[in-house]
Amino acid sequence: PRCPFCREPYITSSAEADRNLLKRIEAGDRVAFCQKGCQGKEEHNYSVAVEYLTKAANMDDVEAHNQLSQLYYFGEGVERDVKKAVHHLEEAAIGGNPLARFNLGVVSTRDGKSS
């Protein structure tokens, strides 16, 4: 069977999926950068997570901002920095991420900044 969008055969292995992801990264696809960063975060490879999520965030990827906020808030792979976490939450919330909007409210309430 073939993909109805790109008409390429479906991917059958994780190695093939990784190759395709790297091709998309080489092409400058911000979603691919975010996916690679999320993959690194999931595998607790925080240096990869921070590198790729930062690149995606610099390309205005909303989900990358949301993921970076978590890394900074909990100090995973980076020094804990609530100001940077809030900055990334704000960027993600402005971009329309509902989870970031919720988390921004939670962080603000915890820090005593609720209005």
Side-chain angles (χ1 to χ4, degrees):
R2 294 188 174 269
C3 172
F5 299 105
C6 67
R7 309 216 190 288
E8 293 292 321
Y10 283 118
I11 295 170
T12 58
S13 70
S14 61
E16 191 177 356
D18 288 340
R19 278 193 304 275
N20 285 350
L21 182 62
L22 290 176
K23 279 185 199 176
R24 290 177 46 218
I25 287 170
E26 289 171 6
D29 182 348
R30 69 184 168 102
V31 174
F33 280 100
C34 185
Q35 286 178 329
K36 182 71 172 172
C38 289
Q39 191 177 66
K41 184 179 173 208
E42 191 173 295
E43 295 168 355
H44 303 284
N45 186 345
Y46 296 117
S47 62
V48 167
V50 171
E51 176 186 354
Y52 284 94
L53 289 172
T54 299
K55 287 178 182 180
N58 288 338
M59 291 186 255
D60 296 324
D61 188 275
V62 174
E63 183 57 27
H65 279 293
N66 186 49
Q67 294 294 323
L68 275 172
S69 74
Q70 294 172 25
L71 293 177
Y72 279 107
Y73 190 80
F74 295 109
E76 296 175 322
V78 292
E79 188 172 326
R80 187 172 194 270
D81 188 333
V82 176
K83 283 185 179 183
K84 283 186 180 179
V86 168
H87 165 75
H88 287 292
L89 278 174
E90 288 172 343
E91 291 293 322
I94 289 167
N97 186 302
L99 184 58
R101 288 181 62 105
F102 173 80
N103 286 337
L104 189 56
V106 170
V107 170
S108 295
T109 301
R110 283 187 181 161
D111 291 345
K113 296 178 185 171
S114 62
S115 35

